[in-house]
Amino acid sequence: MTTSTTSTGKPLTGWRVLVPRGGPWGDSVAADLRAKGASPVVAAMINFAPTADASALEAALARLAAGEFDWMTVTSATTVDVLSAQRAVVPPTTRVAAVGETTAAALAAAGYKVDLVPSEDNSARGLLAEWEAATSGVVPLRVLTLRSEIAKPLLTEGLKRVGHHVESVVAYRTIGVPVPENVVRDVADGLVQAILVTSGSVAEQVQSQLGPIPETTLVAAIGPQTARDARAFGLRVDAVAAERTAASLIEAVVHAASAGASGSASAAASAPSSGSDSASDSADARS
């Protein structure tokens, strides 16, 4: 992967980093990258479209407002946007579970309460692991799970296996967005030092539109699940964020850049040291 000379407080100086999402999230990440010395390249690779079954969503939200669900699970900030756009009403009797801190923050910002957020693993798997304790083992519960069209039904199936009555409804569709030709060329020519991968759907677009990614380009995934999804699409992953947050993802890139710079310096004096750094990077990618 590419290395560069870093300066105090600017560890990503000289790095061009592809940010695969636009909007407020992309603008925020771009600003954080600039603060680290990087030059962000914002190129939205996915967008969100209304569900193909609007009537099913409307009916589910009407039942939600009527108090027919004990719990509602929300697995992305985009789902929160849908709830807001639909002016969904969550009655006091319905508790809300968010898959992670980012989703929880979006819910709070939109005026919705949040009753459960996984304390360790910010994922559907993490939510399932803490579900029984959070619900005092009560079975069955009536649960509304809102998801994207392409999301794996891990949460829905897990809750059903426990014995809960689950209604899974598609809240939105994820669609690919063509990347500008100049960005495609720059990636192919090795002029982009890092690519951020924020979801399985982004990974699919990165591989299909930009693959194969040059070995000199760092590919950083926002968490273990995204890393697994990326590899399933044939996309190499070099670094994995410790937490499913933009800040943690950027730190993973900073860590890799710093480790790479140190590895290059060590390699000049000792070839075995260089091999050790490579093995460490590979282990990090599998975590």
Side-chain angles (χ1 to χ4, degrees):
M1 82 194 51
T2 298
T3 61
S4 65
T5 301
T6 59
S7 57
T8 303
K10 302 285 187 178
L12 296 180
T13 297
W15 281 54
R16 296 181 72 212
V17 180
L18 179 62
V19 180
R21 288 176 54 189
W25 190 93
D27 292 341
S28 175
V29 170
D32 290 344
L33 285 168
R34 290 190 190 96
K36 301 289 186 183
S39 297
V41 179
V42 180
M45 303 191 74
I46 59 171
N47 204 347
F48 306 104
T51 174
D53 193 351
S55 60
L57 176 62
E58 292 169 1
L61 294 181
R63 291 195 295 277
L64 172 67
E68 294 184 18
F69 296 104
D70 300 305
W71 281 83
M72 175 178 69
T73 65
V74 182
T75 56
S76 72
T78 304
T79 300
V80 180
D81 292 340
V82 173
L83 290 171
S84 296
Q86 295 281 339
R87 298 186 178 181
V89 174
V90 181
T93 53
T94 300
R95 303 183 72 184
V96 179
V99 77
E101 295 294 343
T102 301
T103 303
L107 282 163
Y112 295 108
K113 63 174 182 173
V114 181
D115 300 287
L116 172 61
V117 184
S119 58
E120 298 292 336
D121 181 5
N122 279 192
S123 68
R125 187 174 283 103
L127 187 56
L128 282 172
E130 298 185 27
W131 185 269
E132 183 177 0
T135 59
S136 302
V138 176
V139 177
L141 291 169
R142 299 166 301 169
V143 184
L144 172 63
T145 61
L146 298 174
R147 60 182 180 82
S148 75
E149 186 179 51
I150 62 173
K152 297 180 178 67
L154 176 65
L155 183 57
T156 297
E157 292 178 354
L159 291 173
K160 284 182 176 179
R161 278 197 299 271
V162 176
H164 297 300
H165 301 313
V166 183
E167 180 171 348
S168 178
V169 177
V170 173
Y172 63 94
R173 294 178 294 126
T174 303
I175 56 178
V177 176
V179 175
E181 282 300 320
N182 65 304
V183 175
V184 175
R185 285 195 302 270
D186 284 354
V187 171
D189 292 342
L191 300 179
V192 173
Q193 283 68 45
I195 297 175
L196 306 184
V197 179
T198 56
S199 67
S201 52
V202 166
E204 181 180 16
Q205 292 302 315
V206 169
Q207 179 64 7
S208 65
Q209 295 194 53
L210 304 176
I213 305 302
E215 291 293 330
T216 54
T217 300
L218 175 82
V219 180
I222 202 168
Q225 183 58 55
T226 297
R228 286 190 290 269
D229 291 342
R231 294 187 184 107
F233 287 118
L235 179 65
R236 188 190 78 249
V237 176
D238 304 302
V240 182
E243 301 175 4
R244 285 184 55 84
T245 65
S248 184
L249 181 57
I250 293 173
E251 282 307 309
V253 175
V254 169
H255 176 76
S258 300
S262 298
S264 293
S266 299
S270 171
S273 174
S274 175
S276 176
D277 286 341
S278 177
S280 176
D281 287 342
S282 180
D284 285 345
R286 289 193 296 269
S287 65

